Structures are given as structure tokens and as C-alpha cells.
Amino acid sequence: MTRDNFIPEHRRYSQRLARLEKQNNSAQAREHQPISNKVVGIKKQRRNSSKKRISVLVWIFGLVLLVMIYIISPLSKVTDITISGNNELSNERVEKATTIWRGRLIWTAFFAQRHLEHEAKIRDPQIRSLKVKLRGPQSVHVAITENHLLGEGQIGKQKYAVLTNGQLQLTTAQNTNIDFKGFEKNREQLKFLGQQLGKLKPVIYHGISSIEYQPTKESPHQIILYMKDGNTVKANLTNVGDKLKYYPSILTKMKGQGVVDLRVGAYSYDYGSKDK
């Protein structure tokens, strides 16, 4: 290496060494700063941390306070109730069964739907399902589906309403639907018949005037249905729901009033013809 090249290299080395010494001195100065400065920094950090915690607590407390004020205020109470899906049940009867009344906390009605549905079914078996919807800050809508009323039957000394899900409900109302006869000592058969008829379209079971339970040795499950159109139907309690659905199509083939036999197969004959 020539002398001319050596001089610039030496200068660069000297400059690099000077920078390193300067950085080292700065680091030592920071390490040996007065303890009072460190204490001040720590106190400042603690104050900032305390402010943040206090701010969070104030927000939480304020939110809880607002919720409590809302709960005890009239704004959280139900003032308007609408009901849909009830054809046989009155609005008053639905409200009583569901325990959703004006003045009840609106959120307890919305978030406790399953409990309300369970209790409503117990209080009134004609309620099949229930759903609560919020229509406003103080308005709820109750949508229900019904177990339709088929008619009434006598069990022992008590009169029961027969529903399309097979449930029996004590009643004192005047019967305007199907009159179930011969079930005084056959409670389970009556419940099963209700389930069978529940499979049918309303237009079919609304066309039944009365049903008699007439078991025989040859037909141990025989029932006789007296239709409002003047026809008589012989069927089995065990499958009447599956077979009676063909009744409208059978009528189109009948020339006049007569008997429809659904016990074995399906056929019909006029009252005037020889009894089959």
C-alpha cells in the first residue's frame, strides 16, 4: 500500500473510532443518570396507568347504571301485544297462557321464549308452538300454531275436548264439532283416534258429525263415522287417518248416499243396495 492510499484509510478508521467512543459515552451517561429522574419516570407511568383503569371503571359503572335506569323505567315494559295464528283461541286466552301481559319486562318475554312456550303448552294444550318477536321498544308480536279442536268425548263422568295431537282437555263448553261416542272406558283409544284424525286436512274432519267406537270380534278396532253429507264410513281406529284422506275421491264415484267401507281395502255401496 502506498503512502497516499494509507492516509485516507487511516482517517476513516479514526472517524469510526470517534463515533464508537461517542456512542459508548452516551450509553454510560444514560446509565448513570440521577435516581430522581428514574423515580419521576416511574411515577408518570403509574399515573397514566391509573388514569386508564379509572376511565374503564367509569365506563363500566356508567353502563351498568344506564341499564338499571332502563330496567326500572316504563320504557322497558310491554305496552302493545299483537297475536297471530290463533283461529280457535281468543287473544285473551293466548295472553293468559303465555303470561305475556302489558307491563311485563319486554326482554324477559323475548329471551325466555322456550320457557314461555313450555309453560303455555301446559296451561293450554291447544297451543302447539309459540314465537315472540320484538316489533318496537315496547311492542311484541306473539305468533302461535294451534292443535285444532276435533270435538268432545265422554270418559267416565268427565267431558273432554279432543285435539288433533291426541291430547284430551277437560271442558264444559258446548260441543259444536265431532261427537265421540263409546269411549267412556277407552281413554287411550280416544287419544289415538285424535292423533289419527290430526293427519287429515281440516276440510275432511270438519265433515264428520259423530264417531262411534264399535269393536267386534271380527273387527276389534272398528269405528263408525257419520258424515255431515249423510254418508256412513266404516273404518279401523288404527289406520283411519291414512285411509280417510281418500274419502273425497271415493265420493266422486258414488251415485247417492251410502256406506264407505275402509276396513279392508276401500269400497262403497248405496243404502238401498244389499248390505255387504
Side-chain angles (χ1 to χ4, degrees):
M1 180 180 296
T2 63
R3 181 177 180 82
D4 293 336
N5 292 334
F6 176 76
I7 293 174
E9 183 66 26
H10 178 70
R11 288 177 180 175
R12 286 196 295 271
Y13 176 78
S14 298
Q15 291 173 355
R16 190 180 303 113
L17 182 62
R19 285 197 300 270
L20 290 174
E21 289 180 353
K22 185 177 180 180
Q23 292 175 359
N24 185 47
N25 292 334
S26 297
Q28 290 179 355
R30 286 196 297 271
E31 291 177 358
H32 295 87
Q33 64 179 331
I35 296 177
S36 59
N37 292 344
K38 292 184 177 180
V39 172
V40 171
I42 293 173
K43 287 183 177 180
K44 187 175 181 180
Q45 290 179 353
R46 288 180 177 177
R47 282 197 300 270
N48 293 335
S49 179
S50 297
K51 288 180 180 179
K52 290 181 180 178
R53 286 198 297 268
I54 292 172
S55 298
V56 172
L57 290 174
V58 168
W59 275 103
I60 294 175
F61 178 76
L63 182 61
V64 172
L65 184 62
L66 288 175
V67 171
M68 293 178 63
I69 293 173
Y70 170 74
I71 290 175
I72 64 176
S73 73
L75 295 175
S76 66
K77 307 296 191 302
V78 176
T79 59
D80 182 56
I81 303 172
T82 57
I83 299 173
S84 66
N86 54 323
N87 297 313
E88 298 175 2
L89 297 173
S90 65
N91 288 353
E92 292 76 14
R93 187 169 163 183
V94 173
E95 288 184 26
K96 184 178 180 180
T98 59
T99 66
I100 298 176
W101 60 84
R102 289 163 183 81
R104 175 172 180 153
L105 288 174
I106 192 168
W107 295 109
T108 63
F110 180 71
F111 288 114
Q113 289 192 54
R114 289 188 178 181
H115 176 72
L116 291 176
E117 182 177 22
H118 176 72
E119 294 298 318
K121 289 179 180 180
I122 294 175
R123 293 188 182 92
D124 198 322
Q126 270 198 263
I127 295 177
R128 178 184 297 180
S129 66
L130 176 152
K131 188 171 184 179
V132 180
K133 296 181 180 179
L134 299 183
R135 288 289 179 85
Q138 294 179 280
S139 178
V140 297
H141 177 75
V142 182
I144 71 165
T145 57
E146 297 175 324
N147 290 312
H148 296 294
L149 178 65
L150 291 168
E152 295 174 4
Q154 192 86 10
I155 302 293
K157 295 182 179 180
Q158 299 290 341
K159 186 169 65 171
Y160 289 87
V162 184
L163 306 179
T164 49
N165 65 340
Q167 284 189 271
L168 305 180
Q169 185 179 19
L170 279 170
T171 183
T172 56
Q174 184 178 358
N175 183 27
T176 58
N177 297 305
I178 302 173
D179 186 14
F180 294 89
K181 302 176 181 179
F183 292 91
E184 288 80 1
K185 298 180 181 179
N186 300 281
R187 183 186 186 94
E188 293 306 313
Q189 285 80 353
L190 182 56
K191 291 171 65 176
F192 187 80
L193 178 57
Q195 293 174 345
Q196 284 288 308
L197 297 180
K199 297 179 180 181
L200 301 170
K201 294 180 179 180
V203 67
I204 296 179
Y205 62 68
H206 284 324
I208 304 172
S209 177
S210 64
I211 300 177
E212 291 187 15
Y213 183 45
Q214 293 184 3
T216 64
K217 186 177 181 180
E218 294 76 17
S219 300
H221 304 293
Q222 178 177 261
I223 55 174
I224 309 297
L225 297 83
Y226 298 96
M227 310 301 289
K228 293 179 180 178
D229 58 13
N231 292 320
T232 301
V233 178
K234 295 182 179 181
N236 289 317
L237 179 141
T238 54
N239 60 10
V240 63
D242 298 317
K243 287 199 168 186
L244 198 61
K245 64 183 179 181
Y246 300 111
Y247 181 73
S249 62
I250 294 174
L251 287 181
T252 61
K253 301 175 184 178
M254 296 179 66
K255 296 180 179 180
Q257 293 179 340
V259 177
V260 177
D261 198 326
L262 301 176
R263 292 173 299 178
V264 181
Y267 62 93
S268 63
Y269 52 92
D270 294 338
Y271 285 128
S273 64
K274 185 178 180 180
D275 187 21
K276 298 183 180 180

